[in-house]
Amino acid sequence: MSGRISSDSYVLTEEQIETFHRDGLVTLYDVLTEEEVVEIAEVFDKFMNREIHVPGKDFCDMSKPFGIPFEEWSIVNCMLPTRYHPPFQNNIFERLTADIVRQFHPSMEMSKDYDQFLNKRPGKSDAVFAWHQDMGYWPNPKALGVDETATCTFSLAIDDSTEENGCLRYVPGSGLSRKLRQHAPLASSRDEGHALTIELDESKGDVEKLAPCKRGSITVHDEFVIHGSSGNKCPDRQRRTYVLAYRPKTVVDAERKLGFTHSHNDEVNWDTFNDGQERKK
C-alpha cells in the first residue's frame, strides 16, 4: 500500500524514491486533503496580508532588490513562518513530511532545517525564480565541518501550480555529480537582493523539464538539482507555495553553530564562508 494511509503517514513507492535520487526531483500526489490545505492557506494568507509581523528581510520580494514598495512586489517571500507564528508549528504538513523524509534517507537522522512561504502574485510575468542550486545559498561541508550533506525540500501546492502561473522547472539529473556550479547575485550585490542565478549549459546536457503540481500535492527536490521557475502569466491566479526543508541533524546543528538559520536577517550568508570561489563569477 502506498500514498496517504493515515493522518500522519504517507508511504512512498520504490519508484518514487528512485526518481528522487536519480532526477533530483519527484512529485507526490494527493498528500494533503482539501480541508487540510484550507487550514494552511488561512495562516498563509495572514502572513501575505501582513496580519502576522515578520521582521526585516525575512519578508521580501525574491525577484527584486530590497526596498521596493510592497505593492510592487511580484514574489512575496516569508521566511521561517513557524518562528514568527509558533502556533503553526507541528502542523499537518510538518508531520507528514517528517514521515516521508525518513523514507528518502532511512540511514540518516533528518531534521527540519527551515520553512518558507512563497506567493507569485497574479499577472506578474517578472515573478521569476532564476536558475540555481540550493547549495549555492548554503555553506558547504568544509565550512560546516561535516563529511556530507543531504536535503529534501518539500513544496506544497496551495494552488494548482501550472506552466501558466509559473510552476517549478528543473534539469533532471543535474545534481548527480554533487558539484556546485558558478552562482552570481541576481542584483548587483547580495546587499541589494537575496537571489542568486546560474546559466544553463546545453553542452553539459542541461534539458529543462516542468514540474506542475495540483493543489494538495507536493514536489520534493534535493540540494544540487538545478531548478527555478518562470513568471505568473495568469491575470487572476496566484501561485502559493509552502516550502519545508529537511537536512541531517548534524548539518542543521553545524549551521546553527555558525549562526546560519536561513533567515535573511542572519549576519552570515553564502559569501561569509571561505568555502570556495566557485560560488562567484
Side-chain angles (χ1 to χ4, degrees), residues 41-255:
E42 289 176 355
V43 177
F44 186 106
D45 290 343
K46 288 181 180 179
F47 276 98
M48 295 298 116
N49 295 331
R50 297 189 287 185
E51 297 176 43
I52 299 172
H53 176 67
V54 178
K57 295 178 180 179
D58 279 346
F59 195 71
C60 66
D61 185 330
M62 283 294 286
S63 65
K64 293 184 174 67
F66 295 123
I68 300 295
F70 177 68
E71 294 73 22
E72 298 177 18
W73 290 8
S74 297
I75 304 177
V76 183
N77 172 59
C78 171
M79 295 302 302
L80 311 177
T82 53
R83 173 191 290 186
Y84 299 121
H85 186 56
F88 195 52
Q89 295 173 7
N90 198 37
N91 62 66
I92 185 62
F93 188 45
E94 287 195 348
R95 299 198 303 272
L96 284 167
T97 52
D99 176 64
I100 296 170
V101 74
R102 289 190 291 266
Q103 300 171 61
F104 283 122
H105 292 289
S107 65
M108 296 181 178
E109 183 183 0
M110 300 295 282
S111 177
K112 175 186 171 183
D113 191 12
Y114 73 93
D115 52 358
Q116 180 180 19
F117 284 162
L118 293 165
N119 184 21
K120 290 191 175 189
R121 287 173 162 174
K124 295 291 186 177
S125 59
D126 62 345
V128 175
F129 264 110
W131 290 110
H132 67 281
Q133 297 163 289
D134 288 344
M135 278 299 292
Y137 286 92
W138 305 336
N140 73 7
K142 181 179 179 181
L144 292 172
V146 299
D147 294 329
E148 64 176 343
T149 62
T151 308
C152 286
T153 300
F154 296 84
S155 298
L156 169 67
I158 298 177
D159 303 294
D160 288 347
S161 178
T162 66
E163 182 176 7
E164 291 72 27
N165 69 353
C167 70
L168 196 66
R169 51 181 180 162
Y170 68 109
V171 179
S174 55
L176 281 174
S177 67
R178 297 186 61 79
K179 299 294 184 181
L180 184 65
R181 299 193 191 181
Q182 288 184 330
H183 286 67
L186 192 61
S188 58
S189 74
R190 292 302 300 289
D191 291 330
E192 292 189 14
H194 185 76
L196 300 172
T197 184
I198 59 177
E199 299 291 334
L200 293 192
D201 187 346
E202 292 184 2
S203 69
K204 295 181 179 180
D206 291 346
V207 177
E208 173 186 341
K209 185 175 181 179
L210 297 177
C213 195
K214 297 288 290 183
R215 176 176 166 100
S217 298
I218 65 178
T219 60
V220 193
H221 67 268
D222 69 20
E223 58 195 9
F224 279 106
V225 67
I226 296 172
H227 63 288
S229 61
S230 58
N232 185 353
K233 301 174 184 177
C234 297
D236 56 355
R237 287 178 52 214
Q238 58 190 342
R239 183 198 157 203
R240 295 172 294 176
T241 306
Y242 178 10
V243 177
L244 183 55
Y246 291 82
R247 309 190 82 194
K249 186 177 184 300
T250 53
V251 172
V252 176
D253 290 346
E255 287 179 330

